[in-house]
Amino acid sequence: MSLASQSDAEIIRISTAGSVDDGKSTLLGRLLVDTDSIYEDHFENLKRTSEYRGEEVNLALLADGLKAEREQGITIDVAYRYFSTAKKRFIVADTPGHTQYTRNMITGASTADASIILIDARHGMTEQSKRHAFITSLLRVPQVVVVVNKMDLVDYSQAVFQDIEAAFREYSQRLSLSNISFIPVSALLGENVVRRSSLIPWYKGPAVLERLEELTPEGKRTAPDLRLPIQYVIRPDQDFRGYMGRLESGTLRQGDELIALPSGQPVIVKQLFDLDVEVAEASAGSNVLVTFDREVDVTRGDMLVRPRNLPSVTQGLEAVVCWMSEEQSVTGKQYLIRHTTREVSATLDEVVYRFDVESLHRNAAHFLNMNDIGRLVLSTGRPVFVDTYEHNRALGSFLLIDPVSNNVVAAGMVTRVRGPEPTSRSERSGQVVWLTGLSGAGKSTISDALTELLRREGLSAAQLDGDDLRTGLNSDLGFSDADRSENLRRAAHVARLFASLGNITICSFISPLNSDRRKIRDIIGDRYMEVYVRTSLAECERRDPKGLYKRARAGEIRQFTGITSVFEEPNNPDLILDTEGATVEHVVRSLAEKIRDRLR
């Protein structure tokens, strides 16, 4: 492989996690050896060290870099290793498995495109396995590879592997994990690591390296909102003033109209440099320098954004944090928040709860100890410019620092912004998401999950459901065609009112007729988004969550869409969600992304 082609290959950042002695370092050592990613003299030194210790070649020593790690046979610090193939380049963070090093795993996984979670086939899901899955979920790592290691010690048992997969999937249903794959391996023997193993004929999926080559980099899913925190102001002489920073998300072009926060001053990008080369366009992850069409007062810690796509400018945050300090948190104490290039004072107002990783319960707490994960309320001395971590990892993450020792005491992820949103954003947030589809298609389930997701992002979300309105506002209506149309007309007016107040209003109504849906669109106007939750009649009958189809077939319900009356598929919906064979999380994320597009 030439150096030129290698430099063009995508870079994938991977974190590894597993309980003590699950074989993380051995797996990484095997990948390094079998991809020819170590120098020959290094490998010879490894063989001599292993012979001196009276053992076979110990691949784990390739990853365990500290002397203490080699002596104890465990990983203590975060070690970064590098290897490449013809398709991809990889940066792997080998993180410790011990509970007391949870903070190290946070460090390793915070910028990862994917996470490898190792599980010892002999022990199955342990508390540490759950902790690692939980942290991976908190950090919204988008791709997860569960490697069930030491399969040779359980005779490559398919039943053992399937039991572990089932246990992990059951636990992960309560987490924000998606794109999970499971691979049985023996890292020590190299089975199913780089090449598929003939000893595991019942497994038909890819080997570990093959799966890693299928991964996509984080940059491919970075939020499209333009966010450029200013790190330096460059002024080599009186004739040039430039502003440098890392483009955290979005795409920047020459001629773009921006505003600078917190001042709100409008500017136009006159020149754009990526490193020292002038370019017409730069993408997320680039280190750029910009000049403006005029002189403005912009300094380190300010941020450049688009006028119609603002982050939250706030002095109140709720966040989930991993407490990293040996000194427990102190309510009322003043810390520092380091967020992008901005550092401001912050007061810890409240510890809301602490997570029990084993049960996922939220236990009331007044303080956090080292490696605890909990939810805090913080107030800042000056405004910060944030998005929720769910929406934008770069703008939603921060460090909490002790101002006396200058030590990092916590790493945090913004879950909610306290206080008013910027006016321009609030006005645009008013939307009506109208879910139409057969009974049992999943409209209410999607509505519940979407509402929770939007609220976690700091957006105001409301729900309207046909059943709820019939017990209140529309209790005087029957089930004739005219009454059904009137039911939808009233619901549309309520939804429009909610949207005018800045709410994203999710409406769940069968609304089977195109004529009614056209009237709804006319009432609500530009804020209306029609979403067809498409599921076959057979599948809806199979689900039948309320037993309505069964009753309709028995003649107990005279008017029932799909049985006694027709559902007309929407002519031109804004979005179609196919729910057969799809997870709720996948469907909701697709819908949430569509809503974000409309808010930009």
Side-chain angles (χ1 to χ4, degrees), residues 51 518 522:
E51 290 172 2
R518 283 194 295 271
D522 289 341

Side-chain angles (χ1 to χ4, degrees), residues 262-273:
S263 66
Q265 299 175 90
V267 296
I268 295 176
V269 177
K270 180 180 178 182
Q271 293 174 290
L272 173 62
F273 298 86

Side-chain angles (χ1 to χ4, degrees), residues 364-590:
H366 300 292
F367 57 83
L368 298 178
N369 289 315
M370 188 170 70
N371 292 311
D372 280 345
I373 298 173
R375 189 182 184 102
L376 305 180
V377 176
L378 298 163
S379 56
T380 62
R382 288 186 293 144
V384 288
F385 325 124
V386 301
D387 294 307
T388 61
Y389 188 84
E390 172 79 19
H391 181 60
N392 189 320
R393 290 172 78 179
L395 268 288
S397 58
F398 64 88
L399 296 176
L400 205 60
I401 298 167
D402 187 304
V404 177
S405 65
N406 205 36
N407 291 331
V408 174
V409 298
M413 294 151 278
V414 177
T415 56
R416 182 169 175 266
V417 175
R418 298 167 72 90
E421 291 280 293
T423 303
S424 60
R425 182 171 177 175
S426 178
E427 290 174 350
R428 292 182 298 105
S429 292
Q431 299 287 321
V432 174
V433 181
W434 193 277
L435 304 177
T436 178
L438 289 167
S439 176
K443 299 185 298 299
S444 296
T445 301
I446 292 170
S447 176
D448 291 342
L450 177 62
T451 300
E452 181 180 353
L453 175 61
L454 294 174
R455 287 173 179 170
R456 286 204 307 265
E457 292 188 4
L459 295 169
S460 179
Q463 293 175 277
L464 287 178
D465 185 273
D467 292 339
D468 293 337
L469 289 187
R470 281 201 173 275
T471 61
L473 177 68
N474 296 334
S475 59
D476 61 319
L477 300 176
F479 292 92
S480 67
D481 290 344
D483 282 350
R484 288 187 172 195
S485 293
E486 175 62 14
N487 173 58
L488 295 173
R489 188 191 69 83
R490 295 181 188 180
H493 280 284
V494 173
R496 185 183 67 174
L497 175 61
F498 280 12
S500 70
L501 299 174
N503 294 290
I504 298 175
T505 308
I506 303 107
C507 303
S508 306
F509 293 86
I510 295 175
S511 43
L513 302 180
N514 278 315
S515 58
D516 284 334
R517 290 192 290 263
R518 283 194 295 271
K519 292 175 184 176
I520 293 166
R521 187 182 291 274
D522 289 341
I523 291 169
I524 296 171
D526 292 341
R527 299 178 189 271
Y528 180 76
M529 183 171 81
E530 188 172 284
V531 179
Y532 176 26
V533 183
R534 184 167 62 188
T535 310
S536 67
L537 177 62
E539 175 63 15
C540 289
E541 283 202 67
R542 187 191 69 78
R543 297 175 185 173
D544 202 7
K546 301 176 183 177
L548 299 178
Y549 284 96
K550 185 176 181 180
R551 292 175 58 197
R553 292 289 188 190
E556 297 177 20
I557 303 176
R558 291 186 178 182
Q559 291 287 336
F560 192 76
T561 304
I563 303 298
T564 60
S565 60
V566 176
F567 178 89
E568 298 177 351
E569 291 201 352
N571 292 328
N572 190 26
D574 296 286
L575 181 66
I576 297 176
L577 297 176
D578 287 303
T579 63
E580 289 190 55
T583 65
V584 174
E585 181 180 32
H586 173 75
V587 170
V588 169
R589 285 185 181 277
S590 299

Side-chain angles (χ1 to χ4, degrees), residues 183-299:
I183 305 176
V185 309
S186 169
L188 183 64
L189 302 180
E191 302 295 338
N192 244 13
V193 177
V194 172
R195 300 170 191 85
R196 302 185 195 191
S197 170
S198 60
L199 299 178
I200 316 177
W202 45 265
Y203 172 73
K204 305 303 181 183
V208 172
L209 185 60
E210 292 175 317
R211 177 67 186 108
L212 298 185
E213 288 183 324
E214 296 170 351
L215 300 175
T216 55
E218 166 71 9
K220 292 291 181 69
R221 70 172 204 105
T222 301
D225 314 323
L226 188 137
R227 305 287 187 257
L228 176 56
I230 300 302
Q231 188 166 12
Y232 297 111
V233 179
I234 307 298
R235 194 170 188 185
D237 54 56
Q238 292 185 347
D239 299 324
F240 184 90
R241 184 192 294 267
Y243 305 88
M244 284 191 65
R246 172 186 161 90
L247 187 58
E248 295 292 358
S249 60
T251 301
L252 183 63
R253 301 176 181 85
Q254 286 190 15
D256 278 353
E257 297 181 14
L258 307 176
I259 64 170
L261 297 176
S263 66
Q265 299 175 90
V267 296
I268 295 176
V269 177
K270 180 180 178 182
Q271 293 174 290
L272 173 62
F273 298 86
D274 189 341
L275 297 179
D276 58 349
V277 178
E278 187 168 2
V279 295
E281 178 179 305
S283 56
S286 301
N287 293 300
V288 300
L289 183 147
V290 296
T291 66
F292 300 142
D293 60 324
R294 60 192 184 88
E295 285 198 10
V296 294
D297 183 17
V298 174
T299 187

